[in-house]
Amino acid sequence: MSQSLSPECTPLKKVYDSCFNSWFEGYLEPAIAASTKPEQRTEYAKRKAEEFQANCGKVWEQYKACVQGAVKEKGLDQLLEQAREENPLMEPTPPSK
Amino acid sequence: MHFFSQAFTYEHPWHHVVIGMWHKYPNSKCTHVVSIDTLDRTVDPKTGIIRTERLMGCKQKAPAWIVKFFGGSEDAFVREISFVDPSTQNVQITSVNLSLSQFATCYEQIHYSPNPHNPLQQTDFTQTAEVQARLAIWRSAANGLEKWLVQRFEQNAQLGKSGFTEILRQLWEERAQVPLQQGGSESS
């Protein structure tokens, strides 16, 4: 598994990544199957979003706090803010080319 | 502006590729990627779309002239936003450089979708990148530099003029007084 930008965050990152990966691997195939019916898809998405929060929410908060500190320390926070302003990318863009 | 693009078909079903996506690094062919951090992640409870914002740290030796000219370092950071949409079986990944972004941007887009002819076994990959130097910013920086230089020049010219005026006045006032003083001492 890859490292965090700050060594002190790497242990939390590893716990979080493992948590996400195991949730995601359980999520993906049924999500594809559930997407044929809109109401089934929404029911599944809602349930799994809650499950993700319940499983990984706690370590995520700790990891996020650590990374945010590291980002500031490396002086990347302003570059990030600028990049977010320029390209918010809050929704997928339809394939252009 | 410079463009790059490539396309490829992986011999794996879409969901295998997408699960694998989160395990891509570290890998022996891409040792330049040294760190990956998740900055934000949401699972949309309506659509099931997962949006992830990540920060990748890269070490890539830049040519000496680039480091000298732009003051860059070995560490470069990239912001990556990905959307995984299980309902349309589409993954879209957009990456933009943070480092040196004041000079140029590299905007990369990647898509993974099931191959239309063999959707259960093959996954199409497309990648495009646009590299663009920020000419507008260059121009405004150059313009700002010129303005500052002219202002400094004007200020210095003013100071030079008033400084020399002062020197001339002192010099000739002193010289005008010396003969008077000498004359005065003779008379006493």
Side-chain angles (χ1 to χ4, degrees):
Chain A
M1 214 179 270
S2 52
Q3 306 291 306
S4 170
L5 84 156
S6 164
E8 58 171 329
C9 304
T10 297
L12 285 168
K13 170 201 151 61
K14 292 194 172 180
V15 177
Y16 172 74
D17 279 355
S18 300
C19 188
F20 170 74
N21 283 331
S22 72
W23 173 85
F24 183 72
E25 289 175 27
Y27 168 76
L28 193 58
E29 266 192 289
I32 298 169
S35 61
T36 47
K37 289 183 195 151
E39 66 275 15
Q40 202 185 341
R41 171 186 168 202
T42 304
E43 188 276 321
Y44 182 75
K46 186 170 177 288
R47 184 157 53 84
K48 293 302 268 188
E50 283 165 7
E51 184 192 283
F52 177 53
Q53 174 59 28
N55 291 0
C56 309
K58 206 176 160 197
V59 66
W60 165 242
E61 289 304 325
Q62 295 172 315
Y63 169 50
K64 189 169 75 170
C66 190
V67 167
Q68 281 176 348
V71 160
K72 251 202 175 144
E73 213 170 272
K74 301 225 172 209
L76 294 168
D77 48 339
Q78 285 190 349
L79 284 173
L80 263 173
E81 274 319 305
Q82 200 186 317
R84 284 170 180 154
E85 243 171 65
E86 240 170 86
N87 295 299
L89 295 164
M90 295 312 289
E91 265 157 46
T93 52
S96 50
K97 285 146 243 161
Chain B
M1 181 128 56
H2 286 72
F3 293 95
F4 166 85
S5 77
Q6 67 168 340
F8 185 70
T9 301
Y10 287 101
E11 300 295 323
H12 295 274
W14 184 79
H15 72 277
H16 280 192
V17 172
V18 179
I19 285 170
M21 208 172 95
W22 307 114
H23 299 275
K24 186 174 170 186
Y25 302 106
N27 88 56
S28 61
K29 302 264 172 76
C30 304
T31 51
H32 60 283
V33 177
V34 292
S35 75
I36 299 178
D37 283 286
T38 303
L39 300 175
D40 190 38
R41 178 172 274 144
T42 53
V43 182
D44 190 311
K46 280 200 187 84
T47 61
I49 295 175
I50 301 170
R51 178 188 182 273
T52 305
E53 181 182 39
R54 300 200 298 179
L55 179 66
M56 342 267 283
C58 309
K59 264 195 206 308
Q60 200 136 31
K61 276 230 155 46
W65 72 267
I66 288 185
V67 175
K68 232 185 229 166
F69 196 71
F70 296 100
S73 71
E74 262 208 341
D75 298 310
F77 289 92
V78 172
R79 172 180 176 245
E80 178 206 82
I81 307 290
S82 64
F83 294 94
V84 177
D85 186 350
S87 68
T88 59
Q89 293 193 63
N90 229 305
V91 163
Q92 178 190 309
I93 307 169
T94 306
S95 306
V96 188
N97 59 303
L98 294 178
S99 308
L100 300 180
S101 59
Q102 66 271 44
F103 302 114
T105 53
C106 178
Y107 192 93
E108 183 204 45
Q109 276 214 316
I110 286 176
H111 290 271
Y112 292 108
S113 56
N115 178 287
H117 306 294
N118 194 359
L120 296 179
Q121 280 155 21
Q122 292 185 326
T123 302
D124 286 344
F125 158 79
T126 61
Q127 179 184 34
T128 61
E130 295 172 14
V131 178
Q132 187 168 29
R134 296 208 186 206
L135 283 180
I137 286 176
W138 277 104
R139 266 187 220 117
S140 84
N143 193 32
L145 180 65
E146 283 176 2
K147 251 193 201 156
W148 179 76
L149 284 170
V150 164
Q151 278 168 6
R152 280 301 295 271
F153 192 88
E154 257 175 36
Q155 278 170 10
N156 287 343
Q158 285 299 329
L159 292 175
K161 198 172 72 182
S162 68
F164 193 40
T165 304
E166 186 65 25
I167 292 293
L168 283 175
R169 192 181 58 77
Q170 274 177 10
L171 178 71
W172 293 110
E173 270 179 15
E174 267 171 28
R175 297 232 173 150
Q177 277 167 11
V178 169
L180 276 179
Q181 278 167 3
Q182 283 169 348
S185 65
E186 266 174 18
S187 71
S188 67

